[in-house]
């Protein structure tokens, strides 16, 4: 198909000649296309010719108008030429004026520049003169001098054209040294102000640093220097020269003196830090008028530290430094020994220092606890140290009381043993008293350690004593007496501990100590119990010998006489006093044992005296004498028992009809009265033990095991019933005999 190349195709803006030619060639219609194009060109030429003919007249008319316009154009050119001449004249006049004005403006600009430069030079000269005046001796004002220096430095930085001027260059060499002068002077003022607590001097120095833009660095370096002095003071105080005797008193005195001096240095450092921070908060910046504390950012690596003030951050750093120093000191053998031996005094020093610092700051509670926590490591190790020291004294004591082949068992501690025991007991009380006096949280742990070592001493003592009165030898009794002496001595020394622990912070400490004291009393009683039990047994056996004596008869003796059994009791009591009782220290335990012994012996006398039969007037008087003598031998007899003995004496001499209205009848046990009344009856009315066919000793044992008066009455009633039955049988036999004889 032939490509239709119409004139409109060539008139389009998108006509592509290469594409069109390629299409025609590809279609093989080159000849037909060229013929078409020739025909189209012929038609276009004819159309143009026709169009030119149609517009010929119009073109002639336009050509005439062009001629007329040419004449007008000539006139216009003439007017333009005249105008150009006038413009050129005006241009020449304006150009001359402009050049003159430009020349004057250049002169004025140069004059202004010179005047401005001169003004800056004068300003520089004035500031330099003012700076010199502020630095002159006698009228020194370093804050104003720093302001002048700051202005001069700003002036030189903003105006480079001042360089090269002889006047300025001459002063610049001196000006460059002013910064060092101000820095040194302000540092000296700050140091003196901190040492003398002169807040005005501190404020002036800080103003200088603030103006010189060195305030943050200077505050940081000052705090670092203060911490450095604290570190040096604590390091010096916590140093004990190696190679000397451990825990010597002289070393500890020197150590405490060094620690006391270190506490003074720490106090001075804290006062300086507090003064610095106080001045920072109260002093405004000389230029911006904001508090200087706002110009000092807190160096911190954590969000918590960023919220702390400068003083709080200093306090935390100082406490950490002291804690680290103490921890390092614990690694030294001698220093650790001194720290632990003098911990209560050291903790008291920390408390005193915290109290002094609290008077400077009303909100010091958190910082106080942080400061007291510096001794936490020593506080944790102190109870164990106390335990070890008391254990050493404990071992020394038991070594001193141990018998040797050359030294038999003593009944009283030797001086060495007594001193060791006294040191042990006083050490226990002293440790608790010391930690309580300094209000240390370690008081509960120390009390627990003291209670533990005391219990160890008591347990070992309990293992060494003999509490069997039957098998206890003389050596065992001596050993018991020795330990009793020691226990009483320990009890006397340790008695105040309970009062010291009333306000103990940990629950159970007081109860633990009370149980320890109860254990001590129990073991002490077990020490003397065999001696008193042995003596009581001997007195009981001797007392029963009264039943082998004759108390019948109505003959009144000419003088006071005592029974043989009472003389034996008197001899036994004297022996007991001289051999045993005199060696026991006076104490409540001995008093209780002695009271129980006296009560037992007198009660036994009352019981067995009521069983005696037949009992005549002489026997009653002798028993009364025996009873009075027994009361004198037993000075610790309870009042109720002594009254019972007195009532028995009255009962001996009373008639049967008087007993019913007797007011003192309740002073005696019913069984005692019944046994005595049986003794007044006929021989056929047997006593309970005779009726039961047991010995008096066995009957006493039965009475000891049967304390109920109802049970004792049953025994008496059984004997009376047997007597009544026997009497009825005798009455029947007599009646039969009488009847038989009457028959």
């Amino acid at each position: 198909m032939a490509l239709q190349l119409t004139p409109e195709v060539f008139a389009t803006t998108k006509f592509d000649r290469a594409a069109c030619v390629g299409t025609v060639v590809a279609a093989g219609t080159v000849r037909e296309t060229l013929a078409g194009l020739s025909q189209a060109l012929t038609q276009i030429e004819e159309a143009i010719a026709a169009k030119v003919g149609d517009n010929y007249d119009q073109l002639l008319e336009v050509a005439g108008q062009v001629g007329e316009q040419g004449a007008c154009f000539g006139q216009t050119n003439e007017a333009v030429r005249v105008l150009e001449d006038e413009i050129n004249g005006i241009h020449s006049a304006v150009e001359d004026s402009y050049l003159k004005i430009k020349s004057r403006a250049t002169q004025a600009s140069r004059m202004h520049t010179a005047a401005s430069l001169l003004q800056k030079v004068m300003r520089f000269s004035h500031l330099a003169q003012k700076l010199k005046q502020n630095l002159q001796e006698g009228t020194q004002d370093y804050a104003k001098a720093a302001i002048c220096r700051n202005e001069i430095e700003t002036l030189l930085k903003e105006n480079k054209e001042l360089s090269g001027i002889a006047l300025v260059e001459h002063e610049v060499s001196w000006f460059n040294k002013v910064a060092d002068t101000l820095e040194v002077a302000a540092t000296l003022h700050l140091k003196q102000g901190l040492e003398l607590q002169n807040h005005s001097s501190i404020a002036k120095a800080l103003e200088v640093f603030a103006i010189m833009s060195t305030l943050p660095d200077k505050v940081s370096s000052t705090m670092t220097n203060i911490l450095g002095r604290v570190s040096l003071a604590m390091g010096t105080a916590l140093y004990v020269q190696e190679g000397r005797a451990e825990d010597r008193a002289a070393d500890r005195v020197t150590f405490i003196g060094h620690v006391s001096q270190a506490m003074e240095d720490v106090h001075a450092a804290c006062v300086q830090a507090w003064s610095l921070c106080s001045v920072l908060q109260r002093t405004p910046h000389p230029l911006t008028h904001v508090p200087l504390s706002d110009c000092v950012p807190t160096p911190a690596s954590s969000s918590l530290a960023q919220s702390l003030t400068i003083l709080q951050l200093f306090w935390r750093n100082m406490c950490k430094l002291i804690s680290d120093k103490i921890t390092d000191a614990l690694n030294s053998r001698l220093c650790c020994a001194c720290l632990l031996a003098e911990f209560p005094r050291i903790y008291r020093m920390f408390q005193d220092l915290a109290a002094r610092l609290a008077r400077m700051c009303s909100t010091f509670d958190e910082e106080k606890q942080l400061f007291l926590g510096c001794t936490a490591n020593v506080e944790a190790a102190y109870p164990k140290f106390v335990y070890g020291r008391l254990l050493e004294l404990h071992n020394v004591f038991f070594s001193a009381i141990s018998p040797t082949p050359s030294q038999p068992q003593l009944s009283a501690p030797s001086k060495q043993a007594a001193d060791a025991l006294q040191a042990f007991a006083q050490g226990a009380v002293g440790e608790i008293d010391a930690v309580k006096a300094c209000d240390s949280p370690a008081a509960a742990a120390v009390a627990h350690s003291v209670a533990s070592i005391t219990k160890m001493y008591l347990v070992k003592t309990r293992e060494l004593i003999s509490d069997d009165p039957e098998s206890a030898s003389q050596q065992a009794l001596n050993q018991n007496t020795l330990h009793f002496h020691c226990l009483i001595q320990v009890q006397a020394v340790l008695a105040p501990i309970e009062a010291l622990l009333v306000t103990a912070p940990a629950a159970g400490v007081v109860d633990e100590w009370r149980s320890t004291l109860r254990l001590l009393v129990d073991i002490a009683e077990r020490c003397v119990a065999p001696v008193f039990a042995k003596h009581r047994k001997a007195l009981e056996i001797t007392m029963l010998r009264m039943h082998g004596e004759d108390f019948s008869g109505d003959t009144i003796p000419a003088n006071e006489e005592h029974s043989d059994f009472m003389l034996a009791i008197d001899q036994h009591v004297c022996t007991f006093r001289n051999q045993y009782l005199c060696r026991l220290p006076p104490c409540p335990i001995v008093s209780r044992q002695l009271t129980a012994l006296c009560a037992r012996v007198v009660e036994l006398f009352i019981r067995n005296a009521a069983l005696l039969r037949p009992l005549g007037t002489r026997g009653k008087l002798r028993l009364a004498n025996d009873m009075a003598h027994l009361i004198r031998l037993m000075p610790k007899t309870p009042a109720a028992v002594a009254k019972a003995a007195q009532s028995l004496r009255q009962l001996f001499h009373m008639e049967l009809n008087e007993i019913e209205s007797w007011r003192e009848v309740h002073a005696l046990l019913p069984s005692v009265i019944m046994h005595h009344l049986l003794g007044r009856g006929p021989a056929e009315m047997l006593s309970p033990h005779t009726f039961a066919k047991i010995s008096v000793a066995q009957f006493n044992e039965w009475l000891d095991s049967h304390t109920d008066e109802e049970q004792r009455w049953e025994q008496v009633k059984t004997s009376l019933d047997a007597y009544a039955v026997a009497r009825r049988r005798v009455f029947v036999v007599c009646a039969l005999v009488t009847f038989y004889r009457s028959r």
Side-chain angles (χ1 to χ4, degrees):
M1 181 178 178
L3 179 64
Q4 298 295 328
L5 295 177
T6 61
E8 290 77 8
V9 173
F10 293 95
T12 60
T13 58
K14 297 181 179 180
F15 176 74
D16 188 355
R17 184 178 58 183
C20 181
V21 173
T23 303
V24 172
V25 173
T29 57
V30 176
R31 181 174 298 180
E32 291 81 357
T33 301
L34 290 175
L37 290 176
S38 298
Q39 186 179 356
L41 288 173
T42 301
Q43 291 176 356
I44 291 172
E45 290 176 354
E46 292 176 356
I48 291 173
K51 194 68 176 175
V52 170
D54 293 339
N55 294 323
Y56 184 74
D57 294 335
Q58 187 177 357
L59 290 174
L60 289 177
E61 184 179 356
V62 170
Q65 293 177 355
V66 169
E68 295 177 357
Q69 292 294 330
C72 293
F73 179 71
Q75 296 176 359
T76 302
N77 287 336
E78 184 65 25
V80 168
R81 189 168 47 257
V82 174
L83 181 60
E84 287 180 353
D85 293 339
E86 293 179 356
I87 290 173
N88 290 332
I90 295 171
H91 178 268
S92 298
V94 170
E95 185 178 9
D96 293 340
S97 299
Y98 169 74
L99 292 176
K100 292 180 180 180
I101 292 172
K102 183 177 180 182
S103 176
R104 297 291 178 86
T106 301
Q107 294 176 359
S109 175
R110 292 174 180 175
M111 292 176 64
H112 174 73
T113 302
S116 176
L117 183 60
L118 182 60
Q119 184 180 13
K120 293 175 181 178
V121 171
M122 293 177 63
R123 175 65 177 166
F124 175 83
S125 178
H126 172 72
L127 291 174
Q129 187 66 26
K130 189 176 179 181
L131 177 60
K132 291 179 180 179
Q133 292 177 355
N134 290 326
L135 292 176
Q136 282 182 357
E137 202 67 40
T139 60
Q140 293 174 341
D141 191 338
Y142 293 111
K144 292 182 179 180
I147 293 176
C148 293
R149 181 200 169 280
N150 191 48
E151 292 182 4
I152 292 175
E153 185 178 15
T154 303
L155 184 64
L156 292 176
K157 286 182 179 180
E158 294 178 353
N159 299 276
K160 301 295 184 180
E161 62 272 13
L162 290 177
S163 59
I165 299 176
L167 176 64
V168 176
E169 292 294 336
H170 177 71
E171 298 290 347
V172 164
S173 59
W174 168 81
F175 172 75
N176 292 332
K177 302 176 182 178
V178 171
D180 296 336
T181 303
L182 289 175
E183 185 80 17
V184 172
T187 302
L188 180 61
H189 271 63
L190 178 61
K191 181 179 179 180
Q192 293 176 348
L194 291 175
E195 291 177 353
L196 302 177
Q197 292 301 295
N198 188 341
H199 287 196
S200 176
S201 180
I202 297 174
K204 290 180 180 179
L206 293 179
E207 288 177 350
V208 173
F209 296 133
I211 295 169
M212 297 177 65
S213 301
T214 59
L215 182 61
D217 295 337
K218 183 55 65 175
V219 171
S220 176
S221 63
T222 302
M223 289 297 188
T224 302
N225 292 336
I226 294 175
L227 288 174
R229 290 197 293 272
V230 173
S231 176
L232 179 61
M234 293 303 299
T236 303
L238 298 177
Y239 172 76
V240 179
Q241 185 177 359
E242 297 287 345
R244 303 176 63 180
E246 184 176 356
D247 201 18
R248 286 174 45 184
D251 289 340
R252 284 162 41 188
V253 171
T254 304
F255 181 79
I256 284 296
H258 290 167
V259 174
S260 178
Q261 182 59 45
M263 291 296 103
E264 293 298 327
D265 295 340
V266 172
H267 177 264
C270 293
V271 171
Q272 291 182 4
W274 177 82
S275 300
L276 179 62
C277 295
S278 178
V279 173
L280 281 172
Q281 292 176 351
R282 296 197 314 265
T283 306
H285 194 288
L287 302 178
T288 61
H289 305 292
V290 298
L292 292 180
S293 58
D294 295 344
C295 304
V296 183
T298 303
S301 58
S302 64
S303 58
L304 175 61
Q306 291 175 358
S307 64
L308 300 175
T309 63
I310 299 174
L311 186 59
Q312 289 174 331
L313 187 61
F314 165 80
W315 188 259
R316 289 176 180 267
N317 292 335
M318 187 192 72
C319 292
K320 184 178 184 303
L321 185 150
I322 296 175
S323 179
D324 293 342
K325 288 289 183 182
I326 293 177
T327 302
D328 294 340
L330 290 175
N331 296 326
S332 171
R333 180 176 57 88
L334 295 180
C335 189
C336 178
C338 292
L339 272 174
L340 293 174
E342 299 295 339
F343 168 71
R345 294 177 64 183
I346 294 174
Y347 191 81
R348 171 58 70 183
M349 291 180 184
F350 273 78
Q351 282 186 319
D352 293 342
L353 178 57
R356 293 169 63 187
L357 296 176
R359 288 193 288 269
M360 292 192 311
C361 182
S362 57
T363 58
F364 193 70
D365 294 338
E366 183 178 356
E367 288 79 2
K368 178 181 179 181
Q369 298 303 322
L370 190 64
F371 181 65
L372 295 179
C374 294
T375 60
N377 292 333
V378 185
E379 184 177 316
Y382 184 66
K384 186 177 180 180
F385 170 79
V386 171
Y387 186 88
R389 183 156 62 178
L390 293 179
L391 180 61
E392 181 179 354
L393 295 174
H394 167 275
N395 295 335
V396 170
F397 164 71
F398 278 103
S399 298
I401 65 172
S402 299
T404 60
S406 60
Q407 180 180 358
Q409 183 64 57
L410 302 176
S411 60
S414 62
K415 185 178 184 305
Q416 181 184 2
D419 293 342
L421 185 65
Q422 187 74 9
F424 169 75
Q426 289 182 348
V429 177
E431 296 294 351
I432 296 179
D433 190 20
V435 293
K436 283 297 294 179
C438 67
D439 196 21
S440 171
V446 171
H448 177 71
S449 297
V450 173
S452 299
I453 195 66
T454 305
K455 285 182 179 178
M456 178 185 293
Y457 159 72
L458 295 176
V459 170
K460 189 171 182 62
T461 301
R462 184 171 57 188
E463 294 174 354
L464 295 176
I465 64 174
S466 174
D467 54 1
D468 185 5
E470 300 295 335
S471 60
S473 61
Q474 184 62 40
Q475 183 178 0
L477 293 178
N478 289 341
Q479 187 175 21
N480 283 12
T481 305
L482 167 66
H483 287 295
F484 182 76
H485 275 275
C486 298
L487 289 170
I488 295 304
Q489 182 180 354
V490 171
Q491 183 189 29
V493 178
L494 299 185
I497 290 183
E498 184 175 351
L500 294 175
L501 296 178
V502 171
T503 59
V509 175
V510 177
D511 295 337
E512 181 182 14
W513 189 251
R514 286 174 179 170
S515 66
T516 303
L517 292 181
R518 286 195 296 268
L519 179 61
L520 187 149
V521 173
D522 178 66
I523 296 176
E525 289 180 345
R526 293 174 62 179
C527 287
V528 296
V531 176
F532 282 91
K534 192 172 184 179
H535 179 57
R536 183 177 65 250
K537 188 68 174 177
L539 288 176
E540 289 176 356
I541 295 174
T542 306
M543 185 71 69
L544 295 180
R545 287 166 54 182
M546 72 166 62
H547 295 280
E549 298 188 25
D550 182 15
F551 289 93
S552 61
D554 295 329
T555 305
I556 299 177
N559 52 7
E560 181 179 341
E561 61 177 352
H562 297 290
S563 304
D564 294 338
F565 81 91
M566 183 53 60
L567 296 177
I569 288 177
D570 182 273
Q571 183 179 2
H572 188 86
V573 169
C574 291
T575 303
F576 176 73
R577 285 177 177 174
N578 296 331
Q579 293 184 358
Y580 297 101
L581 196 59
C582 64
R583 295 185 298 175
L584 298 179
C587 63
I589 296 176
V590 173
S591 180
R592 287 196 299 269
Q593 291 284 344
L594 193 57
T595 299
L597 176 63
C598 293
R600 170 64 178 173
V601 172
V602 175
E603 287 176 351
L604 194 64
F605 177 87
I606 294 172
R607 177 196 298 174
N608 287 275
L611 292 173
L612 291 175
R613 58 189 306 180
L615 188 61
T617 303
R618 183 171 183 170
K620 293 177 182 179
L621 292 176
R622 198 170 67 188
L623 282 176
N625 294 333
D626 293 340
M627 186 182 302
H629 186 68
L630 182 63
I631 294 298
R632 288 193 297 270
L633 289 177
M634 304 292 169
K636 292 290 185 178
T637 304
V641 179
K643 185 177 180 180
Q646 184 65 27
S647 299
L648 180 63
R649 182 178 181 180
Q650 297 176 12
L651 181 62
F652 286 160
H653 303 283
M654 294 179 67
E655 299 297 332
L656 294 178
N657 56 355
E658 296 176 347
I659 297 177
E660 297 179 0
S661 59
W662 186 33
R663 293 182 179 179
E664 303 296 334
V665 68
H666 298 292
L668 292 170
L669 294 175
S671 58
V672 173
I673 298 176
M674 289 185 293
H675 292 161
H676 174 68
L677 293 179
L678 283 177
R680 291 190 181 189
E684 294 81 2
M685 188 180 294
L686 302 178
S687 297
H689 63 281
T690 305
F691 177 77
K693 297 180 181 181
I694 59 177
S695 65
V696 178
Q698 291 174 330
F699 185 61
N700 275 278
E701 292 178 359
W702 184 89
L703 290 175
D704 290 336
S705 61
H706 296 78
T707 58
D708 188 7
E709 289 296 317
E710 291 293 335
Q711 294 178 338
R712 294 179 177 182
W713 163 245
E714 290 295 332
Q715 286 288 330
V716 175
K717 184 175 179 298
T718 302
S719 178
L720 292 175
D721 291 343
Y723 172 74
V725 171
R727 289 297 296 172
R728 282 197 299 269
R729 290 176 180 173
V730 171
F731 177 76
V732 172
V733 171
C734 290
L736 290 175
V737 171
T738 303
F739 177 75
Y740 176 77
R741 288 178 179 177
S742 65
R743 293 285 292 176

